[in-house]
Amino acid sequence: MSNSRKSFSIAEKIEIIQDYDKTQLKQKDFAASKNITPSTLRSILKRRNEFTSATEGKDRKKIRTAKHDQLETVLKVWFTQARSSNIPVSGPILRGKAQEIAQFLGISDFNASTGWLDRFKNRHSIIYRKNCRVPKAAAAGPLGSVSDWKEQLSSVTEDESLATYKTERCRGGELSKDRLTVLVCTNSTGSDKRKPLVIGKYAKPRCFDNVKTLPCIYASQSRAWMTSVQFSTWLHDWDKELEARKKPNILLFVDNCAAHLKVDHLNHIKIIYFPPKTNSELQPLDRGVKTVFRQGYRRRAVQLYLQEMAASKKPKVTVLDAIHFVHASWRDIKPATIENCFKKAGFFGGSQSGSQATQVESEMGWETLVGEGSVPELDMFLDVDNNLVTSEITSHESLVEDNLSHAEEEDEDEPAPRSAPKSAEVVDALKLIRHFFTCIPNVEDDVFDKISYLENSIFQK
């Protein structure tokens, strides 16, 4: 028998362990049968759990352990518990939880990058499956129509106030009933962002009980779609507001789709439709604003999921939560981003070349939630509903359904509504929030100013 020590791959070590378990030989005799030293055999058997649980790189000589082994151990247990409770855990949620665990463990050099996530999934045999289907994008319109539009744009926008409208895509999978359609509208400088219109399936979601004020306009439709009736109502309400406030007339650019039919009797709004199938080139909100808006919405949804899981609750985004996410995400978009997108769409003589405006929008917070770097899986998460249908020509059957039976329908799947809190409870909550920020270093002064503003608002009620 040779006394030289042989280097084995992980796969070979696993084979030695399996062969040893099948035999009745003593370690010395078994080592001799394998032409290895008894000390080598003992070393392999001592680490049997390490080798047999290895899930990647079994042709390697050594196991590559994670740099932050404790973090990954905690994360793996958390992931197992979440899946055993049938809670869906996407890549962004997993990365956000890893970042949260790292902060709790005091690990300052951890980055939940795409590469780290791939290695973590390989080490622990985690496989993701899509829970919805994303249809292929519609074909772009002819280039001629885009260039013709740009040539005529300067003449139709002269001495007019500009605004653009976009039906934001629904929240949730193609086959999901938990979906909303969101309409957002802004002027070309971002100085006048209209209150978003949110369309849900139910006229009276349970979470609306005791709610008297919403930061968005809410409407209902049996499929949570935009209809020509809702579009017309939204426009006429805006037209009346312009009349009452003696505001200047509006030139409104809208998508060319089934729900955006001709609207009569508008005194202060002139509508111009984009050419068919040219939104990706000509619609300013499609040149980056929509992506930034979606980032803000989904970041808040991920944060809510993490908080609910940490509290041992089953995560659930209610319609009320979604409305507040929509409001905050729309509010956070900078005017410079909106103006840049108008230029990229050809307004003000701007060029269509260049990257989308989302690259200059850095305040959305994904870096702190899931780490920095290019994130292909995150992009899929953000764009999962890019091409979902949100409108159609409304049949008379649907109109009857929407205006009769559906008007009184409630969402029974929504959690029980919370009772209206008392003023004293809210003040105590603000005290807790203030104390929370006093325990954090380098907090901006305006944070405490905002808390004081909220307190004053409560005392004035």
Side-chain angles (χ1 to χ4, degrees), residues 178-209:
D178 296 323
R179 52 187 289 170
L180 300 173
T181 294
V182 181
L183 176 154
V184 292
C185 178
T186 179
N187 66 346
S188 56
T189 62
S191 60
D192 185 10
K193 291 187 287 186
R194 301 292 300 169
K195 182 182 291 189
L197 169 64
V198 178
I199 303 173
K201 286 184 62 176
Y202 302 98
K204 299 177 182 179
R206 292 185 67 193
C207 59
F208 279 13
D209 283 8

Tab-separated table of all heavy atoms in Angstrom, residues 178-209:
chain	number	residue	atom	x	y	z
A	178	ASP	N	-56.018	39.511	-8.031
A	178	ASP	CA	-55.534	40.597	-7.177
A	178	ASP	C	-54.805	41.597	-8.063
A	178	ASP	O	-53.578	41.615	-8.124
A	178	ASP	CB	-54.604	40.059	-6.091
A	178	ASP	CG	-55.320	39.131	-5.146
A	178	ASP	OD1	-56.490	39.406	-4.840
A	178	ASP	OD2	-54.711	38.149	-4.732
A	179	ARG	N	-55.537	42.405	-8.763
A	179	ARG	CA	-54.930	43.315	-9.719
A	179	ARG	C	-55.614	44.672	-9.669
A	179	ARG	O	-56.809	44.773	-9.365
A	179	ARG	CB	-54.982	42.739	-11.132
A	179	ARG	CG	-56.362	42.288	-11.559
A	179	ARG	CD	-56.361	41.572	-12.891
A	179	ARG	NE	-56.104	42.476	-13.990
A	179	ARG	CZ	-55.857	42.051	-15.231
A	179	ARG	NH1	-55.825	40.774	-15.510
A	179	ARG	NH2	-55.626	42.912	-16.192
A	180	LEU	N	-54.853	45.682	-9.958
A	180	LEU	CA	-55.366	47.039	-10.064
A	180	LEU	C	-54.858	47.644	-11.352
A	180	LEU	O	-53.776	47.280	-11.839
A	180	LEU	CB	-54.895	47.896	-8.886
A	180	LEU	CG	-55.277	47.462	-7.472
A	180	LEU	CD1	-54.580	48.351	-6.455
A	180	LEU	CD2	-56.782	47.508	-7.278
A	181	THR	N	-55.608	48.556	-11.916
A	181	THR	CA	-55.124	49.367	-13.031
A	181	THR	C	-54.983	50.795	-12.520
A	181	THR	O	-55.863	51.293	-11.812
A	181	THR	CB	-56.100	49.311	-14.217
A	181	THR	OG1	-56.118	47.984	-14.740
A	181	THR	CG2	-55.670	50.257	-15.331
A	182	VAL	N	-53.873	51.435	-12.866
A	182	VAL	CA	-53.582	52.773	-12.353
A	182	VAL	C	-53.394	53.738	-13.510
A	182	VAL	O	-52.624	53.466	-14.439
A	182	VAL	CB	-52.313	52.765	-11.474
A	182	VAL	CG1	-52.043	54.168	-10.941
A	182	VAL	CG2	-52.458	51.778	-10.330
A	183	LEU	N	-54.099	54.845	-13.462
A	183	LEU	CA	-53.930	55.916	-14.435
A	183	LEU	C	-53.121	57.027	-13.783
A	183	LEU	O	-53.468	57.485	-12.688
A	183	LEU	CB	-55.294	56.442	-14.876
A	183	LEU	CG	-55.361	57.644	-15.828
A	183	LEU	CD1	-56.680	57.601	-16.616
A	183	LEU	CD2	-55.269	58.987	-15.127
A	184	VAL	N	-52.055	57.452	-14.449
A	184	VAL	CA	-51.268	58.591	-13.966
A	184	VAL	C	-51.159	59.617	-15.086
A	184	VAL	O	-51.144	59.266	-16.263
A	184	VAL	CB	-49.857	58.171	-13.481
A	184	VAL	CG1	-49.942	57.324	-12.221
A	184	VAL	CG2	-49.098	57.411	-14.561
A	185	CYS	N	-51.084	60.872	-14.719
A	185	CYS	CA	-51.054	61.960	-15.695
A	185	CYS	C	-50.225	63.106	-15.122
A	185	CYS	O	-50.318	63.422	-13.934
A	185	CYS	CB	-52.474	62.422	-15.995
A	185	CYS	SG	-52.579	63.810	-17.157
A	186	THR	N	-49.399	63.715	-15.969
A	186	THR	CA	-48.540	64.810	-15.521
A	186	THR	C	-48.297	65.798	-16.651
A	186	THR	O	-48.410	65.454	-17.833
A	186	THR	CB	-47.185	64.267	-15.027
A	186	THR	OG1	-46.354	65.357	-14.614
A	186	THR	CG2	-46.466	63.483	-16.107
A	187	ASN	N	-47.963	67.029	-16.274
A	187	ASN	CA	-47.543	67.985	-17.294
A	187	ASN	C	-46.083	67.748	-17.645
A	187	ASN	O	-45.391	66.915	-17.041
A	187	ASN	CB	-47.790	69.428	-16.843
A	187	ASN	CG	-46.915	69.823	-15.664
A	187	ASN	OD1	-46.299	68.973	-15.007
A	187	ASN	ND2	-46.842	71.112	-15.382
A	188	SER	N	-45.576	68.473	-18.619
A	188	SER	CA	-44.263	68.180	-19.183
A	188	SER	C	-43.109	68.526	-18.249
A	188	SER	O	-41.998	68.029	-18.433
A	188	SER	CB	-44.081	68.932	-20.502
A	188	SER	OG	-44.272	70.328	-20.301
A	189	THR	N	-43.345	69.364	-17.237
A	189	THR	CA	-42.261	69.736	-16.323
A	189	THR	C	-42.323	68.972	-15.004
A	189	THR	O	-41.436	69.119	-14.167
A	189	THR	CB	-42.318	71.252	-16.017
A	189	THR	OG1	-43.558	71.552	-15.371
A	189	THR	CG2	-42.187	72.061	-17.302
A	190	GLY	N	-43.374	68.186	-14.809
A	190	GLY	CA	-43.514	67.451	-13.561
A	190	GLY	C	-43.994	68.307	-12.404
A	190	GLY	O	-44.033	67.847	-11.259
A	191	SER	N	-44.388	69.556	-12.695
A	191	SER	CA	-44.841	70.458	-11.632
A	191	SER	C	-46.316	70.262	-11.295
A	191	SER	O	-46.792	70.753	-10.284
A	191	SER	CB	-44.609	71.911	-12.052
A	191	SER	OG	-45.319	72.215	-13.244
A	192	ASP	N	-47.054	69.561	-12.164
A	192	ASP	CA	-48.477	69.311	-11.925
A	192	ASP	C	-48.769	67.839	-12.204
A	192	ASP	O	-49.211	67.470	-13.293
A	192	ASP	CB	-49.333	70.206	-12.823
A	192	ASP	CG	-50.823	70.069	-12.521
A	192	ASP	OD1	-51.172	69.437	-11.497
A	192	ASP	OD2	-51.636	70.566	-13.329
A	193	LYS	N	-48.521	66.998	-11.193
A	193	LYS	CA	-48.822	65.574	-11.306
A	193	LYS	C	-50.233	65.345	-10.769
A	193	LYS	O	-50.500	65.594	-9.599
A	193	LYS	CB	-47.795	64.734	-10.528
A	193	LYS	CG	-46.409	64.745	-11.152
A	193	LYS	CD	-45.465	63.773	-10.456
A	193	LYS	CE	-45.057	64.283	-9.102
A	193	LYS	NZ	-44.025	63.423	-8.462
A	194	ARG	N	-51.118	64.868	-11.643
A	194	ARG	CA	-52.499	64.654	-11.250
A	194	ARG	C	-52.606	63.514	-10.240
A	194	ARG	O	-51.796	62.589	-10.220
A	194	ARG	CB	-53.352	64.315	-12.474
A	194	ARG	CG	-53.349	65.375	-13.564
A	194	ARG	CD	-54.043	66.627	-13.118
A	194	ARG	NE	-55.449	66.362	-12.772
A	194	ARG	CZ	-56.225	67.244	-12.153
A	194	ARG	NH1	-55.743	68.425	-11.778
A	194	ARG	NH2	-57.480	66.929	-11.884
A	195	LYS	N	-53.636	63.588	-9.391
A	195	LYS	CA	-53.887	62.502	-8.439
A	195	LYS	C	-54.181	61.220	-9.221
A	195	LYS	O	-55.042	61.216	-10.104
A	195	LYS	CB	-55.068	62.869	-7.545
A	195	LYS	CG	-55.395	61.821	-6.483
A	195	LYS	CD	-56.603	62.216	-5.643
A	195	LYS	CE	-56.305	63.406	-4.751
A	195	LYS	NZ	-57.412	63.649	-3.773
A	196	PRO	N	-53.477	60.117	-8.930
A	196	PRO	CA	-53.689	58.882	-9.693
A	196	PRO	C	-55.112	58.351	-9.562
A	196	PRO	O	-55.769	58.518	-8.531
A	196	PRO	CB	-52.686	57.901	-9.066
A	196	PRO	CG	-51.651	58.761	-8.419
A	196	PRO	CD	-52.391	59.979	-7.940
A	197	LEU	N	-55.590	57.722	-10.631
A	197	LEU	CA	-56.860	57.010	-10.621
A	197	LEU	C	-56.556	55.527	-10.493
A	197	LEU	O	-55.854	54.951	-11.338
A	197	LEU	CB	-57.643	57.281	-11.904
A	197	LEU	CG	-58.878	56.393	-12.158
A	197	LEU	CD1	-59.928	56.619	-11.071
A	197	LEU	CD2	-59.461	56.651	-13.546
A	198	VAL	N	-57.065	54.886	-9.448
A	198	VAL	CA	-56.848	53.460	-9.203
A	198	VAL	C	-58.164	52.727	-9.454
A	198	VAL	O	-59.199	53.089	-8.884
A	198	VAL	CB	-56.362	53.208	-7.766
A	198	VAL	CG1	-56.181	51.720	-7.514
A	198	VAL	CG2	-55.057	53.949	-7.508
A	199	ILE	N	-58.119	51.700	-10.292
A	199	ILE	CA	-59.315	50.930	-10.632
A	199	ILE	C	-59.170	49.517	-10.076
A	199	ILE	O	-58.215	48.801	-10.412
A	199	ILE	CB	-59.526	50.873	-12.156
A	199	ILE	CG1	-59.606	52.289	-12.735
A	199	ILE	CG2	-60.790	50.081	-12.499
A	199	ILE	CD1	-59.640	52.332	-14.243
A	200	GLY	N	-60.096	49.132	-9.190
A	200	GLY	CA	-60.101	47.795	-8.621
A	200	GLY	C	-61.360	47.040	-9.000
A	200	GLY	O	-62.252	47.573	-9.676
A	201	LYS	N	-61.447	45.796	-8.565
A	201	LYS	CA	-62.591	44.964	-8.919
A	201	LYS	C	-63.822	45.284	-8.098
A	201	LYS	O	-64.947	45.140	-8.572
A	201	LYS	CB	-62.247	43.480	-8.722
A	201	LYS	CG	-61.331	42.898	-9.772
A	201	LYS	CD	-61.139	41.406	-9.551
A	201	LYS	CE	-62.464	40.668	-9.666
A	201	LYS	NZ	-62.299	39.198	-9.549
A	202	TYR	N	-63.625	45.716	-6.854
A	202	TYR	CA	-64.750	45.842	-5.928
A	202	TYR	C	-65.014	47.296	-5.557
A	202	TYR	O	-64.081	48.065	-5.325
A	202	TYR	CB	-64.479	45.025	-4.666
A	202	TYR	CG	-64.241	43.565	-4.947
A	202	TYR	CD1	-62.946	43.062	-5.024
A	202	TYR	CD2	-65.299	42.710	-5.163
A	202	TYR	CE1	-62.716	41.726	-5.307
A	202	TYR	CE2	-65.077	41.366	-5.445
A	202	TYR	CZ	-63.791	40.879	-5.518
A	202	TYR	OH	-63.563	39.558	-5.802
A	203	ALA	N	-66.293	47.629	-5.498
A	203	ALA	CA	-66.668	48.993	-5.138
A	203	ALA	C	-66.421	49.266	-3.662
A	203	ALA	O	-66.110	50.393	-3.275
A	203	ALA	CB	-68.139	49.238	-5.472
A	204	LYS	N	-66.543	48.233	-2.819
A	204	LYS	CA	-66.402	48.413	-1.378
A	204	LYS	C	-65.472	47.346	-0.783
A	204	LYS	O	-65.945	46.413	-0.118
A	204	LYS	CB	-67.774	48.329	-0.696
A	204	LYS	CG	-68.762	49.385	-1.162
A	204	LYS	CD	-70.118	49.175	-0.488
A	204	LYS	CE	-71.142	50.190	-0.969
A	204	LYS	NZ	-72.476	49.967	-0.327
A	205	PRO	N	-64.189	47.452	-1.016
A	205	PRO	CA	-63.273	46.511	-0.358
A	205	PRO	C	-63.406	46.616	1.160
A	205	PRO	O	-63.627	47.694	1.700
A	205	PRO	CB	-61.883	46.988	-0.825
A	205	PRO	CG	-62.134	47.783	-2.046
A	205	PRO	CD	-63.474	48.414	-1.862
A	206	ARG	N	-63.281	45.517	1.850
A	206	ARG	CA	-63.452	45.528	3.302
A	206	ARG	C	-62.450	46.458	3.984
A	206	ARG	O	-62.750	47.051	5.022
A	206	ARG	CB	-63.277	44.108	3.854
A	206	ARG	CG	-64.375	43.145	3.456
A	206	ARG	CD	-64.203	41.807	4.133
A	206	ARG	NE	-64.387	41.900	5.563
A	206	ARG	CZ	-64.058	40.943	6.428
A	206	ARG	NH1	-63.504	39.833	5.979
A	206	ARG	NH2	-64.266	41.089	7.711
A	207	CYS	N	-61.277	46.593	3.396
A	207	CYS	CA	-60.263	47.448	4.004
A	207	CYS	C	-60.643	48.918	3.962
A	207	CYS	O	-59.977	49.753	4.587
A	207	CYS	CB	-58.909	47.229	3.325
A	207	CYS	SG	-58.913	47.571	1.550
A	208	PHE	N	-61.721	49.267	3.213
A	208	PHE	CA	-62.176	50.662	3.133
A	208	PHE	C	-63.103	51.042	4.289
A	208	PHE	O	-63.467	52.204	4.415
A	208	PHE	CB	-62.903	50.917	1.806
A	208	PHE	CG	-61.990	51.162	0.635
A	208	PHE	CD1	-60.642	50.882	0.717
A	208	PHE	CD2	-62.477	51.674	-0.550
A	208	PHE	CE1	-59.796	51.089	-0.352
A	208	PHE	CE2	-61.647	51.897	-1.639
A	208	PHE	CZ	-60.290	51.603	-1.538
A	209	ASP	N	-63.509	50.072	5.099
A	209	ASP	CA	-64.376	50.394	6.232
A	209	ASP	C	-63.674	51.390	7.154
A	209	ASP	O	-62.487	51.238	7.465
A	209	ASP	CB	-64.723	49.125	7.010
A	209	ASP	CG	-65.782	48.293	6.310
A	209	ASP	OD1	-66.124	48.635	5.151
A	209	ASP	OD2	-66.245	47.317	6.892
